[in-house]
Amino acid sequence: MATTSMQLDSELRDELAKIAERDFNGVPLGEAVRRLVKEHKINRIMQRYEELRSDPEEWASYQAEARLTDNAAGDGLPDAGEEYPEYSQ
């Protein structure tokens, strides 16, 4: 992956360095940004789920579609509980 540079004011850079040290075990600043972007994406996904839940009709539609996908994904595969009964105790 190619690297690049970006301009940050020193206050923002220092804040990012503190986050990298405190919250991400001292990773390099680029990795801290990568993790913050990932966290942002996850937050947006969770926000969308909340929007879906606020509309009962949309939420029911989503759940029905998810059940179809789940059923299709496991089509023909044995149940894990039956295949590994020693872990089902």
Side-chain angles (χ1 to χ4, degrees):
M1 181 180 313
T3 60
T4 187
S5 63
M6 57 192 283
Q7 294 181 349
L8 304 173
D9 63 63
S10 59
E11 185 179 324
L12 179 58
R13 183 205 59 221
D14 293 346
E15 187 175 2
L16 180 59
K18 286 178 186 175
I19 291 170
E21 181 62 37
R22 182 187 63 228
D23 298 339
F24 300 131
N25 298 318
V27 299
L29 299 187
E31 177 61 21
V33 171
R34 185 175 288 109
R35 292 181 187 190
L36 289 168
V37 167
K38 181 179 179 181
E39 185 177 305
H40 171 74
K41 289 177 182 179
I42 291 170
N43 286 337
R44 293 285 297 139
I45 291 167
M46 298 307 293
Q47 187 177 39
R48 182 62 183 126
Y49 277 119
E50 288 304 316
E51 291 170 6
L52 278 172
R53 283 187 191 101
S54 70
D55 182 336
E57 190 174 311
E58 282 293 318
W59 183 243
S61 175
Y62 169 78
Q63 288 181 311
E65 186 173 336
R67 278 191 297 277
L68 288 173
T69 304
D70 288 347
N71 290 340
D75 191 29
L77 297 175
D79 179 79
E82 294 170 9
E83 190 171 355
Y84 301 101
E86 63 271 22
Y87 295 108
S88 299
Q89 299 174 6

